[in-house]
Amino acid sequence: MTGKVFFSVSMSLDGFIAPESLDDLMGRQWMELQQWVFPQRFFRENLKLGEGGEEGRDNDILRQTFERTGASVMGKRMFDGGEQGWPEDAPFHTPVFVVTHEKRDPWERPGGTTFHFVNDGIEAALERARVAAGDRDVRIAGGDATILEYLNAGLIDEFSIALSPVLFGSGIRLFEGVDAERVALEPVHVESSPRVTHLTYAVRRR
């Protein structure tokens, strides 16, 4: 088990990654935030939306993020939203470990995605995800509270932000509640595309 633990999100210029309410998750602001993703060839292929789509660095980054991920971890809020919104062939195609208090049998979907429900905390979920991922990386898929828990616990090695030229004004901030006394960042890579700026940081303990 040699892979990294990372997260990768789209973020508005004023620091938000999602609207406050799940009811607005597919609303105008969120669609604008993710507008760099939807035209990409890999996104269309992965969700079986048909042939075609753009190719270029944004497309490469989406594909590379998918290919490096051997397992994912997410919180119950993200799972609840996705359970209603994801297609039957969910877009992960790897094991997904859901941190929750709900006791539930694994939920297997077509295409290689199986959701496992972990009731004994973030470290137990990560341990199981590491085993499932092997030498590939573990992605902390979200939502914000789950990402923050892992970040504050010192369990994140690296993260990437696709900084989108939109403003939310309100919603869910990525770093709201971060323990800045414990978390230090090291810039790794910056790359701009016509739609977003991709920022990558390594995480270090202070």
Side-chain angles (χ1 to χ4, degrees), residues 148-163:
L148 199 65
E149 278 192 88
Y150 279 99
L151 188 59
N152 284 340
L155 298 173
I156 300 289
D157 299 309
E158 181 181 287
F159 66 84
S160 296
I161 293 172
L163 191 62

Side-chain angles (χ1 to χ4, degrees), residues 2-197:
T2 59
K4 293 180 178 179
V5 180
F6 79 103
F7 68 85
S8 178
V9 297
S10 298
M11 187 174 77
S12 70
L13 281 175
D14 52 348
F16 297 97
I17 61 171
E20 191 70 44
S21 170
L22 285 176
D23 294 336
D24 297 325
L25 194 55
M26 298 299 289
R28 178 185 58 81
Q29 282 185 312
W30 189 86
M31 297 293 283
E32 289 178 353
L33 180 68
Q34 302 292 350
Q35 53 82 29
W36 71 277
V37 174
F38 301 132
Q40 305 308 319
R41 183 183 186 91
F42 178 76
F43 175 81
R44 295 182 58 79
E45 289 175 349
N46 194 32
L47 269 72
K48 295 182 171 58
L49 299 177
E51 297 181 356
E54 296 181 6
E55 298 188 38
R57 281 303 295 149
D58 286 339
N59 189 65
D60 292 345
I61 287 168
L62 286 177
R63 186 181 298 277
Q64 290 162 7
T65 301
F66 176 84
E67 290 176 347
R68 71 183 285 194
T69 302
S72 296
V73 176
M74 69 179 59
K76 184 63 162 53
R77 183 178 189 269
M78 180 175 179
F79 174 78
D80 285 344
E83 187 175 18
Q84 304 301 319
W86 291 318
E88 183 180 13
D89 185 352
F92 302 96
H93 309 296
T94 63
V96 178
F97 297 87
V98 182
V99 181
T100 178
H101 297 295
E102 177 186 11
K103 294 188 182 299
R104 179 171 170 178
D105 292 333
W107 187 40
E108 185 174 351
R109 311 303 294 149
T113 301
T114 300
F115 294 94
H116 303 270
F117 301 89
V118 183
N119 307 125
D120 43 358
I122 63 170
E123 293 191 6
L126 180 57
E127 182 178 349
R128 292 182 59 182
R130 283 188 183 275
V131 171
D135 60 358
R136 295 164 72 191
D137 296 337
V138 174
R139 181 178 184 178
I140 309 302
D144 62 296
T146 302
I147 288 173
L148 199 65
E149 278 192 88
Y150 279 99
L151 188 59
N152 284 340
L155 298 173
I156 300 289
D157 299 309
E158 181 181 287
F159 66 84
S160 296
I161 293 172
L163 191 62
S164 189
V166 299
L167 298 172
F168 265 40
S170 64
I172 294 174
R173 288 188 184 273
L174 175 58
F175 296 113
E176 188 75 42
V178 70
D179 187 351
E181 296 298 320
R182 298 182 60 190
V183 178
L185 306 180
E186 177 183 320
V188 173
H189 186 69
V190 178
E191 184 173 358
S192 295
S193 78
R195 289 191 171 92
V196 292
T197 301

